[in-house]
Amino acid sequence: MDLNYSADDRAFREKTRRWLEANTPTDDLKTLAERKAWHRKLYEAGYVGMLWPKEYGGWGATAMQQAIVQDEMARIGAPPAINGLGIGFIGPTIIVHGTEAQKQRYLKKMLTAEEIWCQLYSEPNAGSDLAGLKTRAEDAGDHFVVNGQKIWTSSGPIADWGILLCRTDPKAAKHKGISCVLLNMRQPGVEVRPLKQITGHSLFSEVFMTNARADKSDLIGKLDEGWAIAQTTLGYERGGNSLGRVTRYAIAFRQLVRATKQLRRNGRPLIEDPVVRAKMGRLYAELEVQRYAGLRVLSALNKGDSPGAASSITKLSYTEFEKRYYDTALEILGPWGQMMTAREEFEEIDTSSGEAGTWATAFLWARAGTIYSGSSEIQKNIIGERVLGLPKEVRADRLRS
Amino acid sequence: MDFSFTPDQTLLKNSARAFLDEHCKPATVRLLWDDARGESESMWKEMAQLGWLGLSLPEEHGGSGLGMVESALLLEELGRAAYPGPFWPTMLAAAAVTDHGTEVQKKRWLGAIATGEARAALALLDADLDWNPDAVATRADKTSTGWQLTGLKRYVAWGHVASVLLVPARTPDGVSLFLVEPGASGIRWTPMMNMDPGTRLADLTLDRVPVRSDDLLGAPGAAAPALHQLLRRGAVGAAAEMLGAARRCLDMAVGYAKVREQFGQPIGSFQAIRHKCADMLLETENSHSAVYYAAWALDAGAEDAGTATSIAKSYVGDASRKVCGEAIQVHGGIGFTWEYDLHMYFKRAKALEAQYGDADFHRELILADVAG
């Protein structure tokens, strides 16, 4: 047991920090072109696609190195890379399940953000119960004709391609007859309508497919065997953000300390109120425990252990903590914490979405974490069944099939 | 970066588990609960033979010179067994003697502790129940042969079996540490019954208790850093013990949820139970991270060692109470009975929550550290 960073990791951190200090844009990135240019620069420096194999344009780095890059980016407040879903989930899926032609066609442009990707999984009636999806792909010789609706699609309006789960055999049992196919988003049969979120932003959208075309050469894996592929896609979390995430919490905590030194209640600064102090002491303890847990995950990854279903514990832990964190911060900050526009004395903070905002936007954003990528309830089912070995529940859809 | 245990550490943990499974069964703990003394002389001797009592003592005094991580591993197993006895207070007093004692004091106590001949107790709390070492109110007045101590010490654990007491008291120079004989004249013991019968507590009234000048530990007025360090180690050790209690309860709850049937199916198949168990696992794993991070930080002298120990104590205190409590809930009525073993671990965790600084005390230390 040695929780010091290795000499190599320290040197890598130092090098990364120097690069970011010299290259991080000083102005906000406003256009997609500016964000793509920054992404490209990060990629060429070796800071995007770090875990991808070199033969597909990646850098073959360690999980620890990736975590260090994310940590340093959070520390300096660098804008994030784009195409996160593509690089984090979709690309690795193509690497594992795709054909050589698909790899050659898609992977490099995904890494460089020349093509932006989205994930077409959830539907209005298939959320946690994803296998209940109804989007239909009918065989039309060399291609599929796709009809249906997807929802909660991040990056929808800017996406060039999507990874689509669709039903290719409507007569088969629920988890069978689903296929995974790559869909060109830039075609007349695909319509993207942005959804306005509770934060007022529009980072996700609805996608309507009306006689859209997907080439059969873009089928991932075998026909009707897409469900297994979707399961691996959902399992690709590799701890890469486990340090950066906590650094953002820690930066926000320092801002909370400054705010409670400025704000006064009952004739004294908030931070002198013992009730406020107890709440803040608890928050700091919880955020540090997230860091310790992150180090434990990285240590296991370093040794080549795959966290598997245990990564559900990590996701459950930090998303639930985030809600408690911003709940408590707003409790402490009172009406001041609810402002949606930053006042002069009130610094912007990093929200869990990675976008800058006020405490209020962070508070609202925290509601998303326990819903996306498998809700807390789904994570607890996974932990119960696959980590603790508790018996499966009796489910009506299983009884039918 | 390596958060895993070394083969030696794993061996220590496994052998501790094996020993305690055999020699500290729930039935043994129950017998000790009913015993006037409350701890087992023979188990203590065996712990000495296993090298546990010298684990963290210097090699020249019969110890193995191992660190807080090893102590935490052992304490996690002791917590898992709800072991009743003065192991941890004795180790903490020995560490204070190691760090601050004269050669004579070390010779007198460390070897005797390593071989199991001596036990020690800590008298840290005064009448106003403030864990802050600066709050000590018990007085030490100078006499011709040394000192005399006057005051009230509250909730002293295992004083009735101790050969020596570690007593902080205030001299004109400030807070100082004294090694006091439990049977000295002027000491009056008032035993009391904790809800955990595996933690034997007593109040201690000191009325002009004579202490020889040789029994002053460290320089007069210089005890605060020693006491802070003792509290840090104490807090991490207590957190490790609470973690062990939580793990035992989690295992029992999951095991029960797999076999107990209601409505024609195992209760573990119901989300209400399964989700509870998932939350319990999350709290237990986070507690593991908190305990061993803090233990490592103390061993490594890390910059954040103080904060990390307070984090471990406050976080694991809450977490273990929740996990052990929810295990009772998963079991239903049987979990509330005296004959079922769950309450041993629930009570042990609860008793430790109030030792070495409670969560409120440690949260204030955390905030003072990071925010001023």
Side-chain angles (χ1 to χ4, degrees), chain A residues 41 57 63 69 74 84 96 112 127-128 155 173 187 196 213 269 284 293 302 320 353 365 373 392-393 398:
Chain A
K41 206 167 180 177
V69 169
V96 175
T112 57
S128 288
S155 302
Q187 58 169 308
K196 194 169 180 177
R213 179 191 166 106
Y284 191 79
N302 249 2
E320 292 291 341
S353 74
W365 260 118
S373 296
K392 281 188 190 308
E393 66 184 308
R398 284 194 190 132

Side-chain angles (χ1 to χ4, degrees), chain B residues 23 36 64 71 74 84 116-117 126 138 180 201 248 258 268 277 291 319:
Chain B
H23 297 276
S64 312
S71 291
L74 201 49
E117 286 151 55
D126 279 57
T138 295
V180 178
L201 301 175
R248 178 67 159 247
K258 286 177 184 173
C277 292
V291 164

Side-chain angles (χ1 to χ4, degrees), chain A residues 2 277 296 299 303 381, chain B residues 2-4 274-275 285 364:
Chain A
D2 178 7
R277 293 182 73 80
R296 198 169 159 210
S299 154
K303 287 179 165 302
N381 279 346
Chain B
D2 186 358
F3 216 124
S4 60
R274 186 152 26 133
H275 288 191
E285 293 303 336
E364 173 53 34

Side-chain angles (χ1 to χ4, degrees), chain A residues 1-6 9 64 253 257 261 271 274 276-286 288-300 302-303 312-313 316-318 320 324 376-385 387-395, chain B residues 1-6 9 69 247 250 253-255 257-258 265-271 273-279 281-294 296-297 300 304 307-312 314-315 318 360 363-364 366-368 370-372:
Chain A
M1 192 167 188
D2 178 7
L3 303 183
N4 286 308
Y5 290 94
S6 71
D9 289 337
M64 176 58 87
F253 189 83
V257 169
K261 284 179 176 172
I271 199 162
V276 169
R277 293 182 73 80
K279 286 178 181 173
M280 288 174 69
R282 185 197 292 266
L283 281 187
Y284 191 79
E286 283 209 62
E288 277 289 277
V289 170
Q290 295 297 326
R291 185 169 72 86
Y292 309 154
L295 293 175
R296 198 169 159 210
V297 168
L298 286 171
S299 154
N302 249 2
K303 287 179 165 302
S312 287
I313 301 175
L316 179 65
S317 183
Y318 78 79
E320 292 291 341
R324 290 193 297 277
S376 288
E377 289 69 25
I378 292 295
Q379 305 301 338
K380 288 181 194 179
N381 279 346
I382 293 171
I383 294 165
E385 276 182 25
V387 184
L388 294 173
L390 289 167
K392 281 188 190 308
E393 66 184 308
V394 177
R395 274 178 15 191
Chain B
M1 172 72 55
D2 186 358
F3 216 124
S4 60
F5 299 125
T6 63
Q9 288 167 341
V69 171
R247 249 198 220 287
L250 170 66
V254 170
K258 286 177 184 173
Q265 50 192 306
I267 61 170
S269 67
F270 300 122
Q271 291 194 359
I273 299 297
R274 186 152 26 133
H275 288 191
K276 212 183 268 303
C277 292
D279 281 330
L281 177 68
L282 183 157
E283 292 294 348
T284 307
E285 293 303 336
N286 278 350
S287 295
H288 174 105
S289 301
V291 164
Y292 290 102
Y293 183 93
W296 170 82
D304 61 343
T307 316
T309 59
S310 288
I311 288 170
S314 60
Y315 187 93
D318 287 351
D360 285 338
R363 282 188 199 114
E364 173 53 34
I366 293 165
L367 195 70
V370 297

